[in-house]
Amino acid sequence: MDRLVKPDLKEINLAFKKGQKCTTTFRLTNLMHTMAVAVSLTTTNPSVYSFNQVFSVIPPLSSSTYTLLISQPSDKPPLSSPPDIITVRSSMLPIGKAHQDYLRSLFSKPGPHVFRDATIPINLVGHQVVDFLISHHTQIPEIEFFLKKGISGCTGSQLTSLLKPAILYSNANFVTEILDAGADVNCKNSDKRSMITLAIRAGDLGILKVLIAAGCKIDNSVDRILHEAAATDRVEMMEFWCKRFGDIDVNSVDLDGRTPIHVTAVRGFVEVLRFCVSVGGKVDVLDCNGWSPLHYAAAEGHLQVVKYLLECSNVKYVLNNEGKTAFALAVDNGHLHLLDLLHLGSVLHRAARVDDIHGMKTCLAEGANVNGRDQNGWTPLHRAAFKGRIESVKLLLNNGAQVDVVDDAGYTPLHCAVEMGHVQVALALIAHGAKANVKSLKGVVPLNFGRFKNHPSVVHPVS
């Protein structure tokens, strides 16, 4: 005889619930035909687990039911590695009955009269166990064991509800286990979007691949895959998605008329922007409010995005539905570092042309580039010299204007002044070191001093 009683299970699954006294039952059967058996139950963690009866008597060939419970309610499952176990000990009881004190004394002394009939592992199961494991997965050793046991006590709907946190905590192994156990891969998020959108928001390419392999489907009317990837700076996800599904429209719009380029312009993700453009993204699309991506980048102050958008297309003068340019939005939000790029240089050119000294001083104080060029390569000094605006010329020179800068045709500000006969301007430029003959890409461009060759202040260049 190697044991007197037999449990009805090999391991106990105890469903854990936060803040509650969790219980489960099991049965022990007396294998003796003619004699009662005394039973003792203990656990390896008596501070956590207890029984409704520690000592009991089972009549011949009869069974008794026992309750295992977690003594103190807790917010986290009492996981243990290796698992806590129940030890079942037994002893023959010829008298058939006994008081608790007698049974306690009977099992207090080891000897041949006491049999060790079974050791039963205690597994904590249920969706609250799995949810805890998901949120604490970096802190728990041997977590795969606990996960498999925890999942075994979940219903299909509970498994599906666990899919979202598993994705958000970026654990591809958990997602795989939950899906394999029966979770619905095509369940929807609270905003009616698919789990693929959730994976992109979490930024986990591995989970994205798991979901696709498991048959997860998207609804293009609500799942804005490229928009979501653009919002989270996930170039690698956009690349994967475009390669996997070659017919993706990078210029697709959301309910507000915004493309993925609008989204990345808001966030300031220049690498995502470059990728979108490389696969055919358009930077001049206006959303429902008439905002281009440049409007958003300017409003948010994203310098590198603004620079790149201006390289791709000149949309800086486009008005949104409120009648504002990107420049105006940058001004409204105090992004002075963008003003020269977006418009300030043009304002300085205009002020120099009309001799608006106050306007020029304001532009320069706000960071305008004194040597900024227009589409013909002219600087503000070219414009002021061409128009003969002597005060503007002096102001520009005193603020660092390059006196011998050449335009796209090879002309300097001095050329402009001489050609238009503006003596005082030419003299001021020469006084600041302007050279009479400047070699440009087209060779030496000679100056014609004929219009004011008799002016007493002119120092004629040596030919």
Side-chain angles (χ1 to χ4, degrees), residues 208-217 237-248:
L208 177 62
K209 293 178 179 179
V210 168
L211 293 173
I212 292 174
C216 189
K217 307 296 183 183
M237 285 194 164
M238 300 182 82
E239 291 176 340
F240 170 79
W241 196 259
C242 289
K243 289 179 181 178
R244 179 70 182 249
F245 307 99
D247 58 345
I248 297 300

Side-chain angles (χ1 to χ4, degrees), residues 201-275:
R201 290 176 181 174
D204 196 305
L205 183 57
I207 290 179
L208 177 62
K209 293 178 179 179
V210 168
L211 293 173
I212 292 174
C216 189
K217 307 296 183 183
I218 65 169
D219 181 349
N220 287 320
S221 66
V222 292
D223 288 299
R224 309 290 180 183
I225 302 303
L226 295 184
H227 288 75
E228 296 288 349
T232 52
D233 198 19
R234 296 295 177 180
V235 176
E236 74 282 3
M237 285 194 164
M238 300 182 82
E239 291 176 340
F240 170 79
W241 196 259
C242 289
K243 289 179 181 178
R244 179 70 182 249
F245 307 99
D247 58 345
I248 297 300
D249 180 10
V250 73
N251 293 305
S252 63
V253 297
D254 60 16
L255 296 178
D256 296 313
R258 296 169 187 162
T259 68
I261 289 183
H262 281 96
V263 174
T264 194
V266 173
R267 303 300 198 280
F269 300 141
V270 69
E271 292 306 316
V272 173
L273 173 59
R274 292 180 188 276
F275 174 79

